[in-house]
């Protein structure tokens, strides 16, 4: 059979979206043009000293708004061109009124898009021409029949320009502030996502490494005893079943954080030091005799800190099973004022690798301790064995449900 290729399906952009984006600048330009023409026509009835509007005057009133169509792609050119058209309108002596709206819109657009220099140069050139027309140029050069510039008019023009400048700068500052806040929120969202990903990676590593290590050891025992001592092999298989069931439940609880909105929340509480006896029993089924020693008076732990302490002990015992020939281990809980000192040690010697491991497990234990302001040290104890010692502060308590 020949090669059958599926026809490519063209990706179509909705016509309404494209028309909306393309039509908004044109619609805004039309609105500004109508405002300038209609407003200036009405205002011209009370300005007998100005040149009446003619075809050239109306053309200038429409040309400025028409140039606003280019303000998104060419803001610097637009503000310069609109300012020039408005300046020509002013020099021609046509009536005052809303004939300057197009220049204001162009100025705002240029400032908002980062072309502040072009906007200020254009506005400065316009104001300079205003001063020349009002005070410097000979009357014979002007089309208006007379020139009488009152102080209040000059003050009004200056105040109007300053108001436009201040409004544009405030709008620019507000826009930059909003952009900075959104960038900070996006960065925080990405950081929380990374932290959640690392948290789940640590949880899955600790759960699976411990459970699979126990299952591996018990499976080896069951194979050796299956023919000669089937009753003991049955005990090993029972341990495998219980361990795998518990691991499956904890994995489901961790993956429950990825559930969709509306799904049921995990009903099983996160493990803590109150389940230390279960951990010791599991290690005993795997052939590791664990002795637990406690010093001081136990203090209440938050769910997050309790889980971190439990995972540290779990990972340390898993490393003993995987990397040490010792069949005994000691867990010490020293409750001190404002601090829990947790130590897991085995007499060694190491078997088939480093006693404490040097991979993800050790990194995960240190991250768990550091997340609550604690420290963790791991290394040889000087007598051929290996120990892991974590110092976890008890105050302030971590928020309920928080995990490292």
């Amino acid at each position: 059979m020949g090669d059958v290729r599926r026809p490519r399906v063209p990706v179509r952009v909705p016509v309404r979206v494209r028309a909306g984006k393309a039509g908004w600048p044109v619609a805004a330009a039309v609105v500004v043009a109508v405002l300038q023409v209609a407003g200036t026509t009405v205002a011209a009835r009370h300005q007998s000293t100005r040149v009446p509007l003619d075809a050239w005057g109306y053309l200038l009133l429409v040309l400025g708004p028409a140039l606003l169509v280019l303000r998104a792609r060419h803001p610097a050119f637009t503000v310069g061109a609109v300012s020039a058209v408005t300046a020509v309108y002013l020099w021609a002596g046509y009536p005052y009124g809303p004939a300057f709206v197009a220049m204001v819109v162009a100025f705002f657009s240029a400032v908002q898009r980062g072309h502040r220099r072009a906007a200020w140069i254009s506005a400065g050139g316009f104001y300079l021409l205003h001063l020349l027309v009002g005070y410097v140029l000979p009357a014979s050069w002007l089309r208006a029949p007379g020139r009488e510039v009152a102080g209040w008019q000059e003050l009004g023009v200056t105040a109007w320009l300053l108001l436009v400048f201040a409004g544009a700068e405030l709008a620019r500052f507000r826009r930059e502030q909003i952009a900075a806040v959104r960038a900070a929120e996006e960065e925080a969202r990405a950081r929380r996502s990374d932290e959640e990903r690392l948290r789940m990676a640590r949880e899955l590593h600790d759960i699976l490494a411990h459970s699979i290590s126990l299952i591996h050891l018990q499976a080896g025992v069951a194979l050796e005893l299956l023919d000669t001592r089937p009753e003991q092999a049955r005990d090993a298989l029972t341990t495998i079943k219980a361990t795998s069931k518990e691991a499956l439940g904890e994995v489901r609880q961790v993956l429950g954080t990825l559930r969709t909105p509306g799904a049921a929340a995990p009903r099983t509480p996160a493990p803590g030091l109150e389940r230390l006896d279960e951990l010791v029993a599991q290690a005993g089924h795997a052939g590791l005799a664990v002795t637990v020693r406690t010093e001081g008076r136990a203090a209440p732990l938050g769910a997050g800190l309790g889980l971190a302490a439990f995972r540290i002990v779990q990972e340390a015992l898993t490393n003993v099973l995987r990397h040490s020939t010792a069949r005994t281990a000691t867990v010490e809980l020293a409750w001190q004022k404002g601090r829990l000192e947790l130590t897991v040690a085995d007499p060694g010697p190491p078997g088939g690798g480093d006693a404490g491991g040097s991979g993800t497990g050790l990194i995960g234990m240190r991250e768990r301790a550091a997340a609550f302001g604690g420290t963790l040290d791991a290394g040889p104890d000087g007598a051929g064995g290996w120990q892991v010692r974590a110092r976890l502060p008890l105050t302030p308590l971590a928020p309920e449900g928080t995990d490292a």
Side-chain angles (χ1 to χ4, degrees), residues 372-397:
F372 293 89
T375 59
L376 185 140
D377 300 322
D381 59 3
W386 186 273
Q387 71 175 6
V388 174
R389 177 168 295 177
R391 301 172 180 83
L392 305 175
L394 302 180
T395 52
L397 289 177

Side-chain angles (χ1 to χ4, degrees), residues 4-17:
V4 179
R5 296 184 180 180
R6 296 182 179 179
R8 293 184 178 180
V9 179
V11 179
R12 297 181 179 179
V13 180
V15 177
R16 292 183 179 178
V17 175

Side-chain angles (χ1 to χ4, degrees), residues 337-387:
K337 185 177 181 180
R339 187 178 70 176
L340 168 61
E341 189 167 309
L342 191 155
T343 305
V344 180
D346 70 274
D354 211 1
S358 58
T360 309
L362 184 57
I363 296 175
M365 287 191 290
R366 286 174 175 163
E367 289 178 348
R368 289 184 182 278
F372 293 89
T375 59
L376 185 140
D377 300 322
D381 59 3
W386 186 273
Q387 71 175 6

Side-chain angles (χ1 to χ4, degrees), residues 58-375:
Y58 283 113
L59 177 63
L60 293 174
L61 288 176
V62 174
L63 181 59
L67 292 171
L68 294 179
V69 177
L70 305 175
R71 72 182 187 278
R73 294 185 177 181
H74 308 286
F77 166 79
T78 301
V79 69
V82 174
S83 298
V85 171
T86 309
V88 171
Y89 177 90
L90 178 66
W91 172 78
Y94 289 116
Y96 294 110
F100 310 102
V101 175
M103 193 182 91
V104 173
V105 174
F107 184 86
F108 265 81
S109 298
V111 172
Q112 293 296 306
R113 289 171 171 79
H115 296 271
R116 301 173 64 196
R117 179 178 298 179
W120 282 87
I121 291 176
S122 300
F126 172 80
Y127 189 66
L128 178 61
L129 179 63
H130 164 72
L131 295 178
L132 291 175
V133 171
Y135 299 97
V136 179
L137 294 180
S140 58
W141 291 17
L142 305 177
R143 297 182 62 196
R147 176 174 59 188
E148 296 180 359
V149 181
W152 66 269
Q153 291 178 335
E154 186 62 38
L155 182 61
V157 172
T158 304
W160 176 79
L161 288 176
L162 291 177
L163 182 62
V164 171
F165 297 159
E169 291 296 333
L170 287 176
R172 179 192 61 83
F173 175 77
R174 178 60 178 170
R175 185 175 183 178
E176 292 178 354
Q177 191 178 34
I178 293 175
V181 171
R182 289 179 178 174
E185 291 177 351
E186 186 65 26
E187 183 179 356
R189 190 180 301 109
R191 183 172 60 253
R192 288 193 299 268
S193 177
D194 291 340
E195 292 175 354
E196 181 66 13
R197 178 178 56 82
L198 293 176
R199 185 191 72 83
M200 293 188 63
R202 285 195 299 266
E203 279 293 294
L204 291 175
H205 172 272
D206 293 347
I207 294 170
L208 296 178
H210 174 75
S211 302
I212 292 176
S213 295
L214 291 179
I215 292 173
H216 174 74
L217 291 174
Q218 291 298 316
V221 172
L223 287 175
E224 291 181 2
L225 302 177
L226 185 60
D227 296 329
T228 59
R229 288 177 284 182
E231 291 300 326
Q232 295 185 9
R234 181 183 297 274
D235 294 338
L237 293 175
T238 302
T239 302
I240 290 175
K241 180 179 179 182
T243 303
S244 60
K245 181 179 180 181
E246 180 181 357
L248 182 59
E250 293 189 0
V251 168
R252 286 176 176 174
Q253 183 175 352
V254 173
L255 296 180
T257 57
L258 297 178
R259 66 187 186 277
T260 57
R267 298 181 180 180
T268 305
L273 291 181
E274 67 276 358
R275 293 181 55 185
L276 187 58
D277 293 340
E278 299 179 18
L279 198 60
V280 171
Q282 290 179 354
H285 290 305
L288 180 65
V290 180
T291 302
V292 179
R293 299 173 183 172
T294 303
E295 298 180 4
R297 184 177 180 181
L301 299 178
L305 184 57
L307 177 61
F310 179 85
R311 294 302 186 203
I312 290 174
V313 176
Q314 185 182 54
E315 178 63 23
L317 293 179
T318 301
N319 285 338
V320 175
L321 290 171
R322 296 174 59 190
H323 303 290
S324 177
T325 60
R327 295 298 88 190
T328 61
T330 303
V331 177
E332 296 183 0
L333 302 176
W335 298 90
Q336 303 174 3
K337 185 177 181 180
R339 187 178 70 176
L340 168 61
E341 189 167 309
L342 191 155
T343 305
V344 180
D346 70 274
D354 211 1
S358 58
T360 309
L362 184 57
I363 296 175
M365 287 191 290
R366 286 174 175 163
E367 289 178 348
R368 289 184 182 278
F372 293 89
T375 59

